[in-house]
Amino acid sequence: MKDLLGLKDLSAAEITEILSVAADMKKLLLKREKSDCLKNKNVVTLFYENSTRTRTSFEAAAKALSATTASISASTSSIQKGETLLDTGRTLKALNTDAIIMRHSMGGAPRLLAENVDVSVINAGDGMNEHPTQALLDFLTMQEVFGSFEGLRVLIVGDAKHSRVVRSNIWGLNKLGAKVTVCGPSTLLPVELEKMGCKVTCDLDGALDGQDVVMGLRLQLERQSSGLIPGGEYHDFFGITEERLKRAAKNAVIMHPGPINRGYELSGGAADCEESKILAQVTNGIAVRMAVLYLLIGRK
Ligand code: CP
């Protein structure tokens, strides 16, 4: 495979293989050992939107495998002078780039680049479409806690309408055998979710019963047109709190892709409690991204 554009495109076996390699990569990471499997490879992060976790962890992953890295932000590059996406991609190819890790506000932009430039393209989040490596790091975190996905009950709460994370999670978790429920205000629950094969509800307290994983989603205020949710009431109806979590399964964990809007999606207590895996997710992001880079451009 040349590119990683989304989990919709992958089989359960391919997802399982990435998770298996990521588990091995995590052992290297925890020992702070480097591998030279990407020696002489050049990796570029090309971000048209802001990021802390994804960009930093891709750079850490590439460096841990001995690749050279360069970082391009739309706001400080020749994109500001009118250079097109494909011209930027071809320019990076001419600069001996092996992989472009790309985030863009338009769904489908990484696919356009992948289909037109002979470089590996990794989707680091495209509009409301997919964020495959986020879902893969979520799966590695779930696998570490629960061992397997068959019958795992996963509740995803919040702004599903604007979330690429929810779409990648649903595509992947369904293939792995988990049971996914999505909960949020009706204005933020698009009709396509049920067709993707998950349960949809606006009743958070009812939905929490017996869940193994409770994942909050960020309210994507930058993508929302006005009037989708009333301000202060969101947390009352859809905020995940320690009190509400008592309804979930005994060993349930809390997850969130970050960044968190504290006091909206999660209370501070829920974000920081013992059951929270939010920082473990961030660390697992490096291991998963090492695995993806290795499988796409490192494997002989
Ligand atoms: N979860 C995630 O994509 O975070 P960043 O926007 O910080 O990369």
Side-chain angles (χ1 to χ4, degrees):
M1 203 179 283
K2 176 174 96 61
D3 313 294
L4 175 63
L5 302 176
L7 297 195
K8 188 179 179 184
D9 305 333
L10 297 193
S11 66
E14 287 167 327
I15 295 172
T16 304
E17 185 189 2
I18 297 171
L19 295 180
S20 165
V21 176
D24 287 341
M25 292 297 182
K26 187 157 180 191
K27 291 177 197 153
L28 272 185
L29 185 67
L30 293 180
K31 285 193 265 180
R32 294 194 173 233
E33 279 178 13
K34 278 183 92 162
S35 154
D36 64 0
C37 66
L38 295 191
K39 203 171 162 216
N40 303 323
K41 300 286 182 184
N42 301 318
V43 172
V44 174
T45 58
L46 173 63
F47 275 50
Y48 290 75
E49 283 189 343
N50 296 338
S51 167
T52 298
R53 278 148 283 270
T54 311
R55 184 173 207 152
T56 309
S57 59
F58 261 118
E59 287 175 11
K63 286 180 175 134
L65 301 179
S66 306
T68 61
T69 61
S71 186
I72 301 175
S73 294
S75 57
T76 54
S77 70
S78 290
I79 295 161
Q80 287 299 319
K81 301 175 191 166
E83 188 161 64
T84 67
L85 173 60
L86 295 187
D87 280 340
T88 300
R90 289 174 188 131
T91 301
L92 293 176
K93 167 75 183 164
L95 288 166
N96 287 333
T97 300
D98 298 289
I100 298 175
I101 295 152
M102 181 185 171
R103 173 169 287 187
H104 202 286
S105 57
M106 296 292 291
R111 189 173 296 277
L112 178 73
L113 189 66
E115 285 174 355
N116 287 283
V117 182
D118 183 22
V119 168
S120 281
V121 176
I122 302 173
N123 180 3
D126 62 330
M128 300 187 278
N129 182 36
E130 284 225 38
H131 191 350
T133 57
Q134 176 65 46
L136 290 166
L137 73 86
D138 296 337
F139 302 166
L140 181 62
T141 309
M142 293 176 205
Q143 184 173 272
E144 285 175 348
V145 177
F146 297 103
S148 91
F149 295 91
E150 199 54 53
L152 189 73
R153 298 188 59 182
V154 180
L155 174 65
I156 307 177
V157 185
D159 181 359
K161 181 181 168 77
H162 301 97
S163 175
R164 49 201 178 206
V165 175
V166 80
R167 288 174 178 78
S168 287
N169 263 278
I170 294 170
W171 290 126
L173 286 170
N174 279 345
K175 288 173 189 178
L176 294 172
K179 292 187 164 65
V180 184
T181 304
V182 181
C183 176
S186 56
T187 47
L188 296 178
L189 292 175
V191 287
E192 84 246 23
L193 290 182
E194 273 179 334
K195 290 187 200 142
M196 289 171 75
C198 57
K199 210 171 136 192
V200 175
T201 176
C202 299
D203 170 19
L204 178 57
D205 288 322
L208 276 163
D209 283 337
Q211 296 289 342
D212 299 304
V213 176
V214 180
M215 183 189 295
L217 293 175
R218 185 171 69 85
L219 279 173
Q220 304 216 9
L221 300 172
E222 76 276 21
R223 294 189 215 282
Q224 291 184 11
S225 49
S226 60
L228 290 176
I229 48 166
E233 289 82 2
Y234 181 84
H235 188 70
D236 296 340
F237 288 96
F238 298 103
I240 300 166
T241 61
E242 284 174 289
E243 187 54 35
R244 279 200 159 123
L245 281 166
K246 290 178 185 161
R247 302 184 74 123
K250 191 164 167 279
N251 298 319
V253 296
I254 303 173
M255 296 175 62
H256 191 294
I260 306 167
N261 293 308
R262 282 175 185 260
Y264 281 88
E265 304 112 30
L266 298 184
S267 66
D272 302 329
C273 69
E274 235 174 78
E275 294 77 18
S276 171
K277 294 290 168 193
I278 295 169
L279 293 177
Q281 287 173 264
V282 176
T283 305
N284 283 342
I286 307 177
V288 156
R289 288 161 180 143
M290 287 166 77
V292 169
L293 284 167
Y294 165 71
L295 289 167
L296 290 183
I297 62 168
R299 194 158 49 167
K300 298 277 184 308

